[in-house]
Amino acid sequence: MEVAAAVNTLLHYFDALRGAEDDDSCLRLQAGEISGHFRGLALKSVFQPLFSSHSGLPVAHEALLRAADCQGQPLLPCEAFSFPCDAQEMLFLDRLCRVVHAGNFVRQAPPGDLFLNIEGRHLLAASNHGQTFESLLKVCGLTPERIVLEILEARIDDLGRLQEAVSGYRSRGYRVAIDDFGCAHSNFDRLWQLSPDIVKLDRSLMVQAEANSRARRVLPKLVEIIHELGATVVCEGIENRTQHQLAVDAGADWLQGYFYARPAAALWRAPAQAATASHAFSLDPEWALP
């Protein structure tokens, strides 16, 4: 389906969902880019790649929200998600953001998978987890098998509902990632109970490993325990060469951070000098951050 036709189909869905009588379109296509609009907010996508620590090739991209208010002032995602008035509006905004990301991802005809953050309050409000989104993804030209849903489990107190949501998504072919593991109230009990496909280690663990020899010795053991659960390990927030080497030495499967690439509207493409290298990401300081 052409991008314009897909946006029109999705627009009908969102208009019906919100039951709005105004003429303000919640989805727009301009210069090939899809944007979302909600209560005066403009919602756009940027993407950051995740790389295999073994091949150096990008295996996926994480979609990140860039929001601005009606005056064009940028807002943090958490600020944007304070705008919904109730659970129904929260569901609407969360789903709208993910559709914007999916549309902007697929229009660039990428290989690999798409990581999407899912708002915790959406998990508690939605039923038939993933069913409606699967239909929306189909319009975009994607299937659940190419989607990884990132969940901040430490922010969700209702473990039963969280398990139900994770089970529902996985039964439809989505993969589930636990984000920022190792911060706040993250604990191994939740990993045993949720059995995620992917665990993303919080960047604070990399910072601690860089500064503290004890934390450096613990990091490989943490990766090993997660591997024993059958999950892929991502070290995120890597910002320098030392952290890169610590993550590789610890046995992390995938790597993500400013050291490799900053979030951008355009999907990552390997620089020319990396095309013939043994690894697609080079540590050449001309394009890797110091």
Side-chain angles (χ1 to χ4, degrees):
M1 184 181 295
E2 293 183 356
V3 175
V7 169
N8 190 53
T9 299
L10 294 167
L11 183 57
H12 284 306
Y13 163 78
F14 282 108
D15 281 346
L17 182 62
R18 67 179 178 169
E21 296 179 357
D22 57 63
D23 296 326
D24 187 29
S25 174
C26 64
L27 279 174
R28 299 174 192 170
L29 176 63
Q30 187 174 12
E33 183 180 10
I34 301 168
S35 62
H37 298 268
F38 174 84
R39 288 188 170 272
L41 299 176
L43 311 166
K44 296 187 176 183
S45 308
V46 293
F47 301 93
Q48 188 175 38
L50 291 81
F51 295 92
S52 166
S53 63
H54 305 292
S55 70
L57 296 171
V59 292
H61 282 80
E62 178 183 356
L64 300 165
L65 178 65
R66 293 294 181 262
D69 64 18
C70 55
Q71 281 80 41
Q73 294 300 310
L75 298 175
L76 295 172
C78 61
E79 294 174 317
F81 275 93
S82 70
F83 275 63
C85 296
D86 54 34
Q88 189 65 23
E89 283 199 349
M90 176 60 65
L91 184 149
F92 180 93
L93 177 59
D94 185 67
R95 197 168 283 166
L96 177 63
C97 290
R98 284 186 280 132
V99 164
V100 168
H101 296 328
N104 283 319
F105 176 76
V106 78
R107 69 181 175 79
Q108 300 184 60
D113 300 322
L114 176 62
F115 278 61
L116 293 170
N117 293 280
I118 185 166
E119 168 61 39
R121 285 169 290 178
H122 173 95
L123 291 177
L124 301 181
S127 57
N128 297 321
H129 295 286
Q131 181 177 3
T132 300
F133 190 50
E134 182 176 351
S135 300
L136 299 175
L137 283 173
K138 185 176 181 180
V139 176
C140 296
L142 289 170
T143 62
E145 287 74 18
R146 292 189 65 187
I147 301 297
V148 179
L149 297 173
E150 290 195 33
I151 298 171
L152 280 169
E153 50 81 28
R155 294 184 182 176
I156 302 173
D157 295 327
D158 192 333
L159 178 59
R161 294 288 297 278
L162 180 57
Q163 286 178 302
E164 178 185 340
V166 168
S167 177
Y169 282 120
R170 295 185 73 191
S171 70
R172 295 184 180 279
Y174 301 92
R175 279 165 293 159
V176 172
I178 297 300
D179 196 15
D180 292 350
F181 184 79
C183 75
H185 299 97
S186 297
N187 60 68
F188 280 107
D189 285 345
R190 289 226 169 168
L191 291 190
W192 315 140
Q193 293 161 329
L194 297 174
S195 298
D197 303 283
I198 297 166
V199 177
K200 300 185 77 176
L201 299 183
D202 186 69
R203 70 172 304 273
S204 65
L205 297 177
M206 297 307 305
V207 173
Q208 292 173 27
E210 184 179 17
N212 185 298
S213 60
R214 183 177 297 177
R216 196 174 307 135
R217 291 193 299 271
V218 168
L219 185 61
K221 296 180 173 61
L222 175 60
V223 172
E224 182 180 356
I225 291 171
I226 296 172
H227 278 160
E228 289 179 358
L229 288 171
T232 297
V233 177
V234 180
C235 280
E236 60 181 348
I238 295 175
E239 296 187 350
N240 58 50
R241 193 183 302 266
T242 300
Q243 292 175 2
H244 162 85
Q245 197 59 54
L246 285 170
V248 171
D249 292 345
D253 303 290
W254 297 348
L255 310 168
Q256 183 180 7
Y258 283 3
F259 183 60
Y260 314 108
R262 289 182 179 273
L267 299 181
W268 188 89
R269 298 287 186 261
Q273 70 265 33
T276 58
S278 59
H279 285 69
F281 61 73
S282 165
L283 297 186
D284 187 328
E286 289 184 5
W287 69 278
L289 295 177

